[in-house]
Amino acid sequence: MTNHSITPSPNNPRVELINQASLQPFTTFGVSSTCDHLYRIDEIEELRLATQYLEDPLILGGGSNILPMGNITRNVLRVELKGIERVEETDEYALVKIAAGEVWHNVVLWAIDQDLAGIENLSLIPGTTGAAPIQNIGAYGIELSSVFHSLEALELGSGQQKDFLTEDCRFGYRDSIFKNDLRGRMVITSVTLKLSKQHNVHTSYGAIQQTLEEWNIKDPGIRDVSKAVIHIRQSKLPDPAQLGNAGSFFKNPVISASAFEDLKKQYPEIPGYPAGNEVKVPAGWLIETVGWKGKRVGNVGSYAKQALVLVNFGEAKGEDVWAFAQEIIGSVEQKFAIRLVPEVNIWS
Ligand code: FAD
Ligand code: NAP
């Protein structure tokens, strides 16, 4: 690798290499951790070389869905490609191709400025556009898959470009092929979205409607919905710049309808939402009910306003967060016979 042209040099400003890099500034949990070599790359050909020649790298975007544990003895490749382009137009929609390193929330704001609808409910989700398909980001009843058109990726090892349409991505609830069969095998370089010129806003989920009513907005547009989502999120979620976290630590479990009915007999107040033939149970409610909401052990805690978010009060290590998460998993499993699964990607 070292003799290769992706080696940073004054002639190659598109690659920055940091040896023994601290991952703290590059991940929102803010736990102390290093990696052997951090490559920051903002040019597609350099990225292609890196995917061919770097040995088994971990891929990093905005670091908002990662918990690093200890020092990572691997190469880490941070994708910093930039650019947004309207690549196709009809009267109904625009296809918009977005480079993987674009900050997701900036893309949402850009779309609203362009009067393009479809992602306003996904306002203020941290991270990059390239990571958005990995767990099919979702919030307030909308998932990336609802506006997804295609993506381009580079295969690790061969460096070959691979194109994926919606059906190839096998999107599910906070899930895709990139978390399963293709886990760690593709570097997404761009995502193309099909954004609508017709505006059908979705306000029924969560507190959006209530917020719009409080603001006396009767016929909301996409900008109003985005502002409401931003307002709700800022009032309910910890800002990683102030308090380290990676959003929801666990996925909401999806259980069979019969298992849900059994639980409902014991716990009549248990919330559940239809998920195909099954039922999605809010993990936050389970964690709160077993008593972990707002609890703190050392430097780790469950956030007082949203139990599903685990927070780093400043000096926590990845191992401390993981130990805390195990306690929660144990308590929930003991009481409800439901095993919580982390949504956050654990790096060790
Ligand atoms: P990273 O954390 O850098 O990486 C996440 C995973 O994607 C890793 O496995 C990484 O290897 C892989 N990856 C990253 N970039 C690429 C790439 N270019 N190619 C291939 N693999 C890649 N998520 C939601 O779905 N909905 C929410 O509402 C939401 N709210 C959040 C709120 C807060 C406060 C926080 C901190 C997080 C929240 N998240 C939410 C989680 C997180 O923002 C998303 O998962 C986001 O898509 C992660 O983007 P990232 O660039 O930070 O990815
Ligand atoms: P909330 O509104 O308090 O709701 C709690 C849970 O119930 C959510 O997880 C949500 O599932 C589910 N829910 C609520 N209303 C629903 C409905 N009408 N139909 C189906 N499911 C419903 O949640 P919150 O914590 O304030 O978060 C608001 C939104 O932002 C949610 O969509 C949440 O996923 C998203 N968010 C995600 C992260 C993350 O890191 N992944 C972090 C913060 C917020 P869903 O999660 O499936 O929507």
Side-chain angles (χ1 to χ4, degrees), residues 62-335:
S64 64
N65 206 11
I66 288 169
L67 176 65
M69 305 256 278
N71 294 333
I72 313 293
T73 54
R74 305 249 313 250
N75 294 310
V76 171
L77 194 54
R78 190 167 194 262
V79 181
E80 301 188 1
L81 307 173
K82 290 282 162 45
I84 306 184
E85 195 187 350
R86 289 170 86 129
V87 290
E88 193 181 307
E89 298 284 339
T90 71
D91 289 344
E92 284 86 41
Y93 65 82
L95 289 189
V96 180
K97 184 173 176 179
I98 307 145
E102 287 288 347
V103 170
W104 172 259
H105 181 59
N106 291 345
V107 175
V108 175
L109 297 180
W110 177 90
I112 291 167
D113 276 346
Q114 301 276 315
D115 220 22
L116 293 172
I119 51 177
E120 54 282 355
N121 290 42
L122 305 181
S123 296
L124 217 61
I125 297 182
T128 57
T129 305
I134 303 290
Q135 72 162 17
N136 182 22
I137 55 168
Y140 300 99
I142 297 292
E143 293 181 337
L144 181 82
S145 55
S146 65
V147 291
F148 182 88
H149 176 271
S150 58
L151 66 78
E152 292 175 350
L154 294 170
E155 185 179 47
L156 283 172
S158 73
Q160 280 183 357
Q161 184 182 315
K162 304 279 178 186
D163 297 344
F164 293 78
L165 296 172
T166 307
E167 55 272 27
D168 303 319
C169 295
R170 292 197 220 144
F171 287 123
Y173 178 60
R174 305 287 188 269
D175 204 17
S176 75
I177 194 167
F178 307 105
K179 284 194 93 172
N180 295 289
D181 293 4
L182 294 181
R183 188 182 196 92
R185 288 176 50 198
M186 294 289 159
V187 181
I188 294 171
T189 55
S190 72
V191 176
T192 299
L193 303 181
K194 186 176 176 178
L195 299 178
S196 178
K197 294 181 183 178
Q198 268 101 48
H199 297 186
N200 295 316
V201 293
H202 299 269
T203 58
S204 60
Y205 202 97
I208 299 179
Q209 190 65 48
Q210 189 195 329
T211 304
L212 291 169
E213 276 165 20
E214 280 165 16
W215 292 350
N216 210 12
I217 295 174
K218 297 200 170 53
D219 185 17
I222 55 176
R223 195 177 292 278
D224 301 314
V225 172
S226 171
K227 281 186 176 157
V229 169
I230 291 170
H231 174 78
I232 300 162
R233 293 184 72 107
Q234 283 177 336
S235 65
K236 197 167 176 185
L237 293 170
D239 175 357
Q242 315 291 332
L243 197 56
N245 75 91
S248 305
F249 194 89
F250 302 103
K251 282 194 196 188
N252 289 322
V254 176
I255 62 174
S256 69
S258 62
F260 183 72
E261 279 317 308
D262 289 346
L263 281 173
K264 191 122 187 118
K265 282 179 201 142
Q266 267 181 288
Y267 309 100
E269 68 288 8
I270 188 171
Y273 298 97
N277 295 328
E278 300 183 299
V279 181
K280 178 183 72 180
V281 180
W285 184 87
L286 299 171
I287 296 168
E288 184 173 354
T289 306
V290 294
W292 279 105
K293 187 176 185 179
K295 286 271 169 69
R296 176 174 177 170
V297 176
N299 287 312
V300 188
S302 154
Y303 193 55
K305 294 185 196 168
Q306 171 47 289
L308 190 48
V309 178
L310 303 192
V311 293
N312 168 12
F313 287 102
E315 300 297 326
K317 297 193 179 94
E319 291 82 345
D320 302 330
V321 178
W322 187 238
F324 189 85
Q326 293 305 314
E327 294 286 336
I328 291 177
I329 291 172
S331 303
V332 168
E333 190 162 26
Q334 197 178 19
K335 191 168 179 76

